[in-house]
């Protein structure tokens, strides 16, 4: 499903954030990408989400080499991946429902069907009763759940999350953990960049460990 | 296809929402665009009307071919044949007797004509050329002057040349003015869209991260530019019609003084459509430039 080969990312100022990283992730697997701050977790997340291009190496997702994709093809790739960001990237001038409707509007789903699916996604993350609330009025944990609802509304086969429980209290974090576990159980491939040891300890998943951009373990 | 139409409908609704959301900005923009389109359009209308007046005058544009006094029937028949062969347009033979009668009918000339021992007027041909361009008229006059027994050819070419030159300068000036204002309209739209893009940079970034194509992101801005341009164009036509309404009576009086039965041409539905379409096209162009530059920067 995801095959990373000899991946290197070097920034123009000379910093090598990812160095010759190789690993595979099977369909339906749940994998943590772990490491200290500056280890390269977020860079790897951006490379997997095609937000940044690698300096060398390749990333193949569902048989498609995304590093060779034209820029104009990237949006279509992202529609099949549920992306969850540390800072959520919500639109604070829209309601919770409108935020979840955005990916469906992008793919051109008819409004009625889009509203039905957006409400279903909000229901999954326990925010259906807050659909008309502006995200600014939601707690940190609720905002992260709203971001998750937006990520799953297009029913992606892969979910990529970058530090989704950072800055959350333990209760909110537990709710997020449960949601990710539920997605994994229904066959979604889940890749989470985190340094939350409590979360990793709850599961016995594969952990891809990074240090200063290099792979320390968990490649297979 | 339905998805395509739905997305365009969504973009159009989004553009209209933005126009309505800031009414003051919208009205000010429409006034600027309206003025920018109204000024050159007014120039074209004035020139069109002047050309119409000139056309009326050119309808009476004539070349008179005066035959020699001793020219006979055979000579006039020869000129008739040559005019027919040259396909110059309409022409009429005025025999010297008819010319004299006309002269007699002129007030105060009757006694003078009666005192003349014989008819001093020659036979003449009055030609109304089909091609009224100054160069064509001059060419025809030059050719006719060389025909046998044609004593004199009369053409007021200097006046026609002046009018033609005036119209050409007018058209050039209006074209330059139109280019200038078209540039201004593109710049106004460019800046409006630039500010909108900057204000919505977060939304654009999020949309692109979750799979929006450049086309999806650009569409509402392009519609905004085009719709604003069309509305500006319609506002320009309102200004022009108001100006026409105010100016029509005094212009009519002025033309009346010159004995012309002329009325200012008002804007036709086609004119209104063209002005609105030009406004829409220029608005779209400004939006496209802005979107191309600023979306690239955000990316």
């Amino acid at each position: 499903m995801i095959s990373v080969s000899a991946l290197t990312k070097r920034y123009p100022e000379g910093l090598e954030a990812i160095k010759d990283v190789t690993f595979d992730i099977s369909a339906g697997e749940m994998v943590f990408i772990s490491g200290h701050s500056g280890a390269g977790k977020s860079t790897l997340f951006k490379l997997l989400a095609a937000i940044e291009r690698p300096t060398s190496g390749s990333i193949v997702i569902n048989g498609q080499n995304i590093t060779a994709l034209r820029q104009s093809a990237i949006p279509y790739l992202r529609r099949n991946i549920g992306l969850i960001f540390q800072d959520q990237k919500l639109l604070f001038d829209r309601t919770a429902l409108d935020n979840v409707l955005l990916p469906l509007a992008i793919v051109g789903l008819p409004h009625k069907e889009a509203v039905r699916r957006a409400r279903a996604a909000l229901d999954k993350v326990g925010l259906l009763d807050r659909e008309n609330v502006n995200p600014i009025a939601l707690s940190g944990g609720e905002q992260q759940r709203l971001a998750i609802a937006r990520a799953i509304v297009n029913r992606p086969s892969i979910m990529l999350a970058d530090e989704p429980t950072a800055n959350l209290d333990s209760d909110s974090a537990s709710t997020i953990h449960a949601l990710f576990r539920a997605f994994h159980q229904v066959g979604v491939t889940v890749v989470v960049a985190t340094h939350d040891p409590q979360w990793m300890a709850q599961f016995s998943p594969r952990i891809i460990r990074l240090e200063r951009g290099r792979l320390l373990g968990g490649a297979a | 296809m339905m998805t395509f139409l739905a997305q365009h409908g969504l973009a159009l609704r989004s553009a209209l929402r933005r126009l309505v959301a800031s009414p003051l900005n919208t009205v000010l923009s429409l006034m600027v665009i309206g003025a920018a389109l109204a000024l050159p359009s007014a120039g074209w209308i004035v020139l069109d009307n002047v050309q119409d007046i000139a056309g009326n005058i050119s309808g009476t544009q004539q070349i008179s071919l005066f035959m020699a006094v001793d020219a006979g029937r055979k000579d006039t028949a020869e000129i008739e044949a040559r005019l027919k062969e040259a396909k110059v347009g309409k022409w009429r033979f005025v025999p010297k007797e008819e010319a004299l009668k006309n002269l007699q009918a002129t007030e105060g000339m009757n006694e003078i004509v009666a005192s003349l021992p014989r008819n001093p007027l020659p036979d003449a041909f009055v030609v109304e050329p089909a091609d009224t361009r100054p160069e064509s008229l001059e060419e025809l006059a030059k050719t006719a002057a060389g025909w046998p027994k044609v004593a004199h050819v009369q053409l007021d070419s200097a006046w026609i040349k002046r009018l033609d030159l005036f119209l050409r300068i007018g058209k050039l000036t209006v074209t330059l003015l139109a280019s200038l204002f078209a540039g201004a309209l593109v710049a106004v739209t460019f800046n409006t869209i630039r500010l909108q893009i900057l204000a919505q940079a977060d939304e654009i970034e999020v949309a692109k991260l979750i799979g929006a194509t450049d086309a999806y992101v650009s569409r509402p801005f392009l519609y905004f530019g085009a719709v604003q341009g069309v509305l500006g164009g319609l506002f320009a036509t309102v200004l022009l019609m108001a100006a026409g309404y105010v100016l029509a009576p005094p212009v009519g009086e002025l033309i009346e003084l010159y004995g012309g039965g002329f009325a200012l041409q008002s804007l036709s539905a086609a004119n209104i459509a063209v002005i609105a379409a030009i406004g829409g096209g220029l608005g779209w162009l400004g939006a496209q430039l802005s979107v191309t530059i600023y979306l690239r920067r955000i990316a």
Side-chain angles (χ1 to χ4, degrees):
Chain A
M1 165 142 291
I2 299 175
S3 183
V4 174
S5 176
L7 197 68
T8 297
K9 174 66 183 178
R10 192 178 304 112
Y11 288 103
E13 56 271 26
L15 172 72
E16 219 169 31
I18 295 290
K19 297 171 194 167
D20 197 26
V21 168
T22 297
F23 60 85
D24 290 314
I25 297 172
S26 306
E29 205 177 350
M30 184 161 181
V31 175
F32 285 114
I33 298 170
S34 167
H36 297 294
S37 286
K41 301 188 296 293
S42 292
T43 303
L44 185 56
F45 168 83
K46 286 176 187 168
L47 293 170
L48 290 171
I51 295 168
E52 289 189 3
R53 299 268 188 179
T55 308
S56 62
S58 69
I59 301 169
V60 178
I61 296 178
N62 290 335
Q64 194 173 29
N65 184 356
I66 68 165
T67 52
L69 281 181
R70 281 177 294 118
Q71 194 61 32
S72 59
I74 300 289
Y76 300 99
L77 167 83
R78 293 211 187 118
R79 290 175 191 183
N80 295 315
I81 300 174
L83 294 177
I84 297 153
F85 305 89
Q86 186 177 349
D87 60 354
Q88 295 105 24
K89 299 203 181 295
L90 297 171
L91 301 176
F92 290 100
D93 59 344
R94 310 256 182 114
T95 63
L97 180 66
D98 286 340
N99 270 274
V100 183
L101 279 171
L102 186 62
L104 301 172
I106 288 169
V107 297
L109 202 71
H111 187 69
K112 213 171 163 182
E113 169 66 6
V115 169
R116 193 190 63 74
R117 273 173 62 173
R119 286 200 173 121
L122 282 171
D123 194 24
K124 262 185 200 149
V125 299
L127 286 176
L128 187 56
D129 58 335
R130 316 290 309 266
E131 68 172 36
N132 293 317
V133 171
N134 192 293
I136 203 106
L138 299 175
S139 68
E142 287 174 325
Q143 287 183 2
Q144 194 57 278
R145 280 191 277 149
L146 180 59
I148 291 170
R150 187 185 62 193
I152 62 169
V153 77
N154 262 335
R155 298 165 184 167
S157 57
I158 299 171
M159 284 184 69
L160 295 178
D162 185 21
E163 304 275 11
T165 55
N167 310 319
L168 294 185
D169 59 62
S170 58
D171 285 350
S172 299
S174 295
T175 312
I176 303 295
H177 298 165
L179 282 171
F180 275 90
R181 188 175 1 204
F183 299 137
H184 169 52
Q185 280 168 353
V186 294
V188 177
T189 306
V190 180
V191 181
V192 183
T194 184
H195 60 252
D196 181 349
Q198 194 191 348
W199 190 2
M200 287 185 278
Q202 285 176 19
F203 298 91
S204 51
R206 231 176 89 200
I207 299 174
I208 293 172
R209 293 187 193 282
L210 292 174
E211 191 176 293
R212 291 184 184 174
R214 287 194 186 278
L215 192 69
L216 285 188
Chain B
M1 187 62 186
M2 286 308 287
T3 302
F4 174 82
L5 290 176
Q7 292 206 330
H8 278 265
L10 206 67
L12 180 60
R13 278 201 296 278
S14 164
L16 293 174
R17 262 201 308 274
R18 279 179 206 170
L19 279 168
V20 175
S22 48
L24 184 65
N25 282 348
T26 301
V27 168
L28 290 174
S29 296
L30 293 188
M31 283 171 74
V32 172
I33 293 168
L37 285 169
L39 286 168
S41 302
W44 278 113
I45 290 169
V46 167
L47 283 177
D48 215 32
N49 279 283
V50 169
Q51 206 158 21
D52 214 36
I53 297 170
N56 287 345
I57 295 165
S58 77
T60 62
Q61 246 172 39
Q62 294 171 344
I63 299 176
S64 301
L65 276 57
F66 296 101
M67 304 297 290
V69 180
D70 61 341
R73 279 268 163 245
K74 198 179 161 193
D75 299 316
T76 56
E78 168 66 21
I79 299 304
E80 272 181 0
R82 290 193 182 217
L83 285 169
K84 202 177 282 179
E85 192 186 341
K87 293 178 182 165
V88 292
K90 290 182 195 167
W91 50 269
R92 187 168 62 86
F93 176 61
V94 182
K96 57 179 95 173
E97 296 78 15
E98 187 186 325
L100 190 66
K101 268 187 196 168
N102 290 342
L103 192 62
Q104 274 177 317
T106 311
E107 200 178 321
M109 294 300 286
N110 192 18
E111 283 183 21
I112 298 167
V113 171
S115 68
L116 293 171
R118 59 183 176 84
N119 182 357
L121 299 174
D123 289 327
F125 288 91
V126 178
V127 180
E128 288 180 22
D131 186 351
T132 55
R133 285 176 301 165
E135 57 271 24
S136 305
L137 293 173
E138 278 202 5
E139 181 65 31
L140 177 60
K142 201 174 163 188
T143 307
W147 289 346
K149 291 291 180 184
V150 171
H152 178 65
V153 175
Q154 187 177 305
L155 165 70
D156 189 2
S157 63
W159 182 87
I160 294 163
K161 268 185 183 171
R162 273 197 293 271
L163 180 65
D164 188 64
L165 203 60
F166 167 76
L167 285 172
R168 270 164 50 199
I169 291 170
K171 277 181 186 169
L172 197 63
T173 309
V174 169
T175 305
L176 290 172
L177 198 68
S179 308
L180 192 70
F181 281 114
L185 197 156
V186 170
V188 165
T189 313
F190 179 93
N191 197 45
T192 307
I193 299 295
R194 181 184 71 89
L195 294 173
Q196 285 189 6
I197 291 173
L198 293 177
Q200 293 173 34
D202 289 347
E203 186 179 338
I204 293 168
E205 187 202 348
V206 170
K208 293 198 80 169
L209 281 174
I210 59 177
T213 58
D214 282 348
Y216 176 87
V217 174
S218 310
R219 220 174 276 134
F221 297 111
L222 298 181
Y223 269 106
F224 182 95
V227 169
Q228 185 178 256
V230 167
L231 292 177
L234 293 175
F235 184 65
T237 63
V238 171
L239 291 178
L240 290 170
M241 283 192 276
Y245 181 75
V246 172
L247 286 173
V251 170
E253 280 174 35
L254 180 70
I255 299 293
E256 199 60 43
L257 289 175
Y258 288 92
F262 170 81
L264 265 182
Q265 286 177 10
S266 60
L267 285 174
S268 65
N271 292 147
I272 293 171
V274 166
I275 293 171
I278 289 171
L282 291 172
W284 179 87
L285 179 65
Q288 179 69 70
L289 289 172
S290 197
V291 158
T292 305
I293 291 170
Y294 286 94
L295 283 190
R296 198 172 293 161
R297 282 192 192 174
I298 285 175

